[in-house]
Amino acid sequence: MFCKSILKNRAFTSSANRFLVQGANRQFGAMDLINYDLFDHKFTNDMEFRSSFDKLKCFRVLDEEGNVINKDYEGSIDDQTLQKMFKTMVMMNEADVVFNQAQRQSRISFYMTQLGEEAAGVGSAAGIKDHDLIFPQYREAGAFLWRGFSIQQMAHQLTGNVHDFGKGRQMPVHYGSNKHNIVTVSSPLCTQVPQASGAGYQFRISGQDRIAVTYFGEGAASEGDFHSALNFAATLRAQTMFFCRNNMYAISTPIDDQYAGDGIAVRGIAYGMPTIRVDGNDIFAIYNACKKGREMIIKEKRPVLIEAISYRVGDHSTSDFSQRYRDEKEMLKWKELLSKFKSPIHRLENYLLKRGLVKPEDSKQYRLEALNQVRDALKNANDQKKPSIDDMFNDVYDTVMPHLEDQRKQLKEHLKKYGEKYNLDTFQGGNAFANS
Ligand SMILES: Cc1ncc(C[n+]2csc(CCOP(=O)(O)OP(=O)(O)O)c2C)c(N)n1
């Protein structure tokens, strides 16, 4: 009876409504109904194998010199936000230079820059809401800065000192912050993507005005997890935004070894979600795509995919030396392409200069202030104590596992005997751990 009445209603509902009706049924555990639109095929006499559709175009608002070429979006970002975006990108850029050098000086053990990709993190975080839950990869420090995660906090994490939220148990660059609604970066590629599908699904079924946003590179999108995550999110209508930073390289693997189709965006369409490709060096395009994407996610209760096209200007990380695989010939190949993209900072700066929102001397001043702030933060972080030795064993699991308890006991015994052989004063509480 219940089933019959729903089937009857189906005849009178639009396909979009039907989509929602099915979801509501699923949510309350009632039987599922097939959406017959998905089965409704047109027939043809032509036996045609297709391997491509028209290449997806790249949405942009600013050209490479910072001229507005899309007047519809000219006033889409208020002046104050634009200035904050510019300052945040400059700060990110200076931080990248200083922290990268700090690794060379052995002051930190590892670093990853976002050189040339500053707009992706900053513009996307500005386009969503601060309570949206971010599942980052590792090259989105701009999103952390946008949300107020400070340069000092970054420096604490990079040095793994007592003020690091992760208490030195993660590699540098693996930031995370409950306060800023950002889940901790995790190194195994793509693990964050299905997690974001799950969180977005939960936000939908609990009726929240909140989305999950996950970032990943085009390399990470080759993981099996990526496909499961997208299909899960699309069929269960998770409130999830999939943000791909396509920067042409996954360490030494260029895009032509990574995929043979039209990038990552077509995969979103294949899984049935609204998708857009944007110019990843145009902060206007990124901001507006994320803002609109978020509105669609909340209104239509379905995920969205955004592919931002950019270029990884720096090495993959401090463990990489990209001249080994990007020689002069290779760089020439990219030169023409790069001239079409230019640095996102350069583009926004040119726009702001034309509008009088920054003056040439301001820009220099911002850079100097940022540089000093980053240097001070690093110095301060380096001066702090390391977390207590005991913290090495805590918080990894909800309760300490027996094998870790065993290791803790062994370390205590060792440090009781040989504590003076180590420089334990650099740890909070020193060797008090041995007698605790
Ligand atoms: C499961 C897994 N495989 C391999 C690696 C090693 N690895 C770390 S980063 C990386 C490249 C990822 O490239 P991409 O997702 O395009 O991001 P990008 O570094 O270009 O921003 C690889 C292969 C890893 N961390 N995890």
Side-chain angles (χ1 to χ4, degrees):
M1 183 63 196
F2 172 73
C3 212
K4 260 192 191 159
S5 77
I6 290 182
L7 281 170
K8 202 171 148 216
N9 283 340
R10 279 165 57 87
F12 300 102
T13 52
S14 71
S15 73
N17 278 345
R18 233 161 38 223
F19 202 52
L20 292 176
V21 168
Q22 284 173 46
N25 289 334
R26 202 171 280 137
Q27 184 178 329
F28 295 113
M31 77 179 287
D32 288 351
L33 296 170
I34 291 175
N35 180 353
Y36 285 105
D37 286 354
L38 298 175
F39 178 74
D40 191 12
H41 299 292
K42 291 203 171 76
F43 296 101
T44 175
N45 292 335
D46 299 331
M47 189 175 79
E48 184 198 15
F49 286 71
R50 294 199 72 149
S51 59
S52 65
F53 294 91
D54 290 344
K55 200 172 153 91
L56 280 173
K57 292 188 179 134
C58 209
F59 171 66
R60 71 165 25 174
V61 177
L62 288 185
D63 71 8
E64 57 281 7
E65 292 308 332
N67 302 305
V68 177
I69 53 165
N70 188 335
K71 301 281 175 209
D72 293 349
Y73 296 94
E74 184 160 18
S76 56
I77 312 180
D78 65 67
D79 295 351
Q80 217 184 346
T81 305
L82 283 168
Q83 282 163 329
K84 183 181 166 193
M85 282 173 163
F86 181 60
K87 281 188 175 181
T88 309
M89 285 202 288
V90 166
M91 176 65 85
M92 192 62 258
N93 194 237
E94 293 296 328
D96 274 348
V97 173
V98 173
F99 291 146
N100 208 51
Q101 282 168 355
Q103 191 277 340
R104 290 337 193 201
Q105 298 159 347
S106 305
R107 295 167 78 191
I108 58 176
S109 58
F110 178 81
Y111 192 67
M112 300 176 98
T113 67
Q114 25 269 300
L115 298 174
E117 295 180 67
E118 293 86 355
V122 175
S124 55
I128 56 173
K129 299 210 165 149
D130 284 352
H131 66 275
D132 292 335
L133 187 59
I134 289 181
F135 291 80
Q137 187 155 306
Y138 43 64
R139 219 181 287 286
E140 293 87 22
F144 281 81
L145 283 186
W146 182 262
R147 288 209 170 165
F149 190 84
S150 66
I151 283 290
Q152 185 61 70
Q153 197 55 54
M154 265 181 200
H156 288 324
Q157 198 284 332
L158 293 169
T159 53
N161 70 25
V162 68
H163 303 296
D164 166 26
F165 296 151
K167 297 181 187 165
R169 290 171 299 207
Q170 278 275 13
M171 277 176 77
V173 176
H174 291 52
Y175 316 111
S177 171
N178 276 340
K179 184 179 156 204
H180 299 97
N181 293 309
I182 312 184
V183 176
T184 303
V185 170
S186 102
S187 270
L189 285 178
C190 215
T191 47
Q192 76 280 14
V193 180
Q195 290 166 2
S197 297
Y201 175 54
Q202 200 271 338
F203 294 153
R204 201 241 328 142
I205 61 174
S206 54
Q208 295 187 47
D209 174 22
R210 193 181 192 197
I211 66 168
V213 182
T214 185
Y215 296 84
F216 49 93
E218 82 292 343
S222 290
E223 290 287 339
D225 277 4
F226 171 80
H227 299 277
S228 321
L230 260 68
N231 200 38
F232 180 101
T235 52
L236 293 176
R237 302 190 344 273
Q239 290 179 187
T240 305
M241 181 182 287
F242 297 96
F243 191 100
C244 176
R245 288 177 299 92
N246 187 340
N247 62 11
M248 319 254 163
Y249 276 95
I251 313 187
S252 55
T253 306
I255 49 170
D256 46 358
D257 283 339
Q258 194 68 253
Y259 53 75
D262 181 17
I264 308 304
V266 285
R267 299 182 198 171
I269 298 169
Y271 281 110
M273 61 183 79
T275 297
I276 189 167
R277 173 172 288 153
V278 300
D279 177 343
N281 288 11
D282 174 358
I283 202 158
F284 267 86
I286 293 176
Y287 170 88
N288 280 293
C290 288
K291 190 161 179 253
K292 177 76 188 165
R294 189 191 189 282
E295 282 165 19
M296 289 166 78
I297 290 169
I298 294 296
K299 189 162 172 252
E300 298 176 24
K301 313 240 168 279
R302 60 201 297 212
V304 158
L305 188 142
I306 296 172
E307 181 186 27
I309 304 293
S310 189
Y311 186 79
R312 197 197 75 211
V313 172
D315 291 332
H316 168 73
S317 71
T318 47
S319 309
D320 177 41
F321 181 55
S322 59
Q323 280 178 38
R324 289 295 294 263
Y325 53 86
R326 294 200 294 203
D327 59 12
E328 236 176 287
K329 237 167 76 197
E330 175 70 11
M331 288 313 288
L332 277 177
K333 196 173 111 189
W334 293 115
K335 207 171 160 204
E336 197 200 323
L337 189 73
L338 281 179
S339 70
K340 285 194 212 152
F341 279 87
K342 287 258 169 67
S343 142
I345 301 179
H346 164 93
R347 282 164 70 167
L348 183 60
E349 181 174 8
N350 270 6
Y351 171 81
L352 295 175
L353 283 168
K354 279 177 218 167
R355 292 234 6 242
L357 291 175
V358 296
K359 298 185 191 76
E361 61 272 21
D362 289 344
S363 177
K364 241 177 162 178
Q365 186 61 25
Y366 293 162
R367 283 204 173 270
L368 191 67
E369 281 168 15
L371 180 67
N372 286 333
Q373 202 179 321
V374 181
R375 282 185 180 156
D376 289 350
L378 185 62
K379 186 175 177 318
N380 179 31
N382 273 138
D383 289 345
Q384 304 299 315
K385 292 213 180 234
K386 296 190 183 87
S388 86
I389 299 169
D390 201 35
D391 273 333
M392 195 173 4
F393 302 95
N394 300 325
D395 302 333
V396 178
Y397 300 98
D398 185 29
T399 50
V400 182
M401 303 287 275
H403 70 285
L404 288 182
E405 210 50 270
D406 205 34
Q407 288 172 26
R408 176 163 26 206
K409 206 168 134 232
Q410 284 177 34
L411 184 64
K412 273 186 188 174
E413 280 160 15
H414 178 79
L415 291 180
K416 249 185 215 166
K417 264 194 197 165
Y418 303 110
E420 76 282 359
K421 307 265 183 213
Y422 297 91
N423 194 6
L424 296 179
D425 286 347
T426 58
F427 291 86
Q428 193 178 43
N431 203 13
F433 161 75
N435 300 310
S436 61

